Amino acid sequence: MSAEPLALDVARIGHSYGARRALDDVSFSVAAGSFTVLLGLNGAGKSTLFSLITHLYAAREGKIEIFGHDVARESGKALRRLGVVFQARTLDLELNVMQNFVYHAALHGIGPAETKRRGAGLLERAGLADRAKDKARDLSGGQMRRVEILRALLHEPLLLLLDEPTVGLDIKARADILAQVRALVAERNLAVLWTTHLIDEVAPSDDVVILHQGKVLARGSAENIVTQNGVVDIGAAFTAITGLAAAS
């Protein structure tokens, strides 16, 4: 019996902008049904890697697979299994929440009736059922981000990518979003790659990939990385590994 394919397999990825090397021999994987944190300071290469995984950029060095499908050669099959939340806000502020859902789902071939059924269920579970007819511009920053996450789930992906999803939010909104995404991992067996520069978003049980200046310097569970570096927490491990002050 063959083993279940990895949700995401990044193998020896490199990328340059002219003479500047943004990523250098980057390799790591995300198991199905797991929460993995891609941790690195601003400028580490996280957004470039995100763009390669989502096929916004073509990978010229190395290979990326999503559930066994090569993003370069089988982009349709790979990307159908992928939900994405970009760092920049992407809701149409003049549309209401459900209209944003309908527009997005149509890009995946899902009709309005099915979208409204799925969308209503997602909003109900997230405690946002009463905001379905509100314009996106009337939502708080945290609510906008939670709606973007729900929108990314409409086509029922198996892997969810979130690029710095809590930037600019207050402590409570950040905690609510983290709790929402962690619950999805448990409830839906969803694989998540969460990119951040914020140390306090890492839990001891999380899988962690530390990316610094375009290179993977450590990968494994947060607990193991802490133990291997003989320190008390992941912040101290990050400092020891990168030789820089810990992110905060």
Side-chain angles (χ1 to χ4, degrees):
M1 186 175 180
S2 60
E4 182 178 12
L6 294 166
L8 176 66
D9 189 20
V10 175
R12 310 205 69 175
I13 286 294
H15 193 80
S16 298
Y17 298 103
R20 183 173 72 84
R21 192 72 168 159
L23 296 170
D24 187 14
D25 198 25
V26 169
S27 297
F28 68 92
S29 60
V30 176
S34 70
F35 188 98
T36 298
V37 179
L38 181 64
L39 180 65
L41 299 176
N42 293 332
K46 302 189 303 297
S47 292
T48 296
L49 181 58
F50 192 94
S51 295
L52 292 169
I53 295 169
T54 57
H55 206 44
L56 293 176
Y57 301 161
R60 296 178 181 176
E61 299 175 37
K63 184 166 70 170
I64 298 171
E65 292 186 348
I66 297 173
F67 284 95
H69 297 287
D70 189 322
V71 169
R73 294 187 296 104
E74 303 175 280
S75 58
K77 290 180 179 179
L79 298 179
R80 275 198 296 273
R81 292 158 173 80
L82 180 65
V84 182
V85 179
F86 293 98
Q87 183 174 343
R89 302 290 167 80
T90 57
L91 293 177
D92 188 321
L93 298 181
E94 297 306 318
L95 298 181
N96 69 34
V97 169
M98 193 59 73
Q99 288 169 335
N100 269 281
F101 283 0
V102 169
Y103 178 80
H104 175 83
L107 302 177
H108 292 275
I110 305 170
E114 178 62 13
T115 300
K116 290 175 182 177
R117 184 188 71 79
R118 294 185 188 185
L122 289 167
L123 289 169
E124 180 69 32
R125 286 192 212 91
L128 294 171
D130 60 336
R131 309 309 298 266
K133 294 184 179 180
D134 290 352
K135 282 191 175 183
R137 69 167 56 258
D138 295 326
L139 303 176
S140 69
Q143 288 169 336
M144 283 188 190
R145 189 54 96 194
R146 290 167 68 194
V147 166
E148 286 184 309
I149 293 170
L150 298 178
R151 183 182 62 175
L153 298 173
L154 285 169
H155 65 291
E156 299 178 343
L158 299 173
L159 170 63
L160 182 63
L161 267 58
L162 302 102
D163 188 15
E164 298 272 6
T166 63
V167 166
L169 301 180
D170 61 36
I171 292 173
K172 184 181 184 306
R174 286 173 55 203
D176 288 346
I177 290 168
L178 258 172
Q180 176 184 354
V181 174
R182 291 184 187 280
L184 288 168
V185 174
E187 294 167 8
R188 294 181 169 229
N189 197 37
L190 186 70
V192 168
L193 180 64
W194 175 284
T195 79
T196 186
H197 66 280
L198 300 169
I199 291 291
D200 64 356
E201 293 184 349
V202 182
S205 60
D206 288 342
D207 292 325
V208 176
V209 178
I210 294 179
L211 186 69
H212 184 63
Q213 296 181 348
K215 295 184 178 182
V216 172
L217 300 188
R219 55 187 175 183
S221 73
E223 291 176 319
N224 286 344
I225 291 173
V226 168
T227 299
Q228 288 165 5
N229 285 276
V231 293
V232 296
D233 57 31
I234 191 65
F238 183 88
T239 301
I241 291 166
T242 64
L244 297 172
S248 60

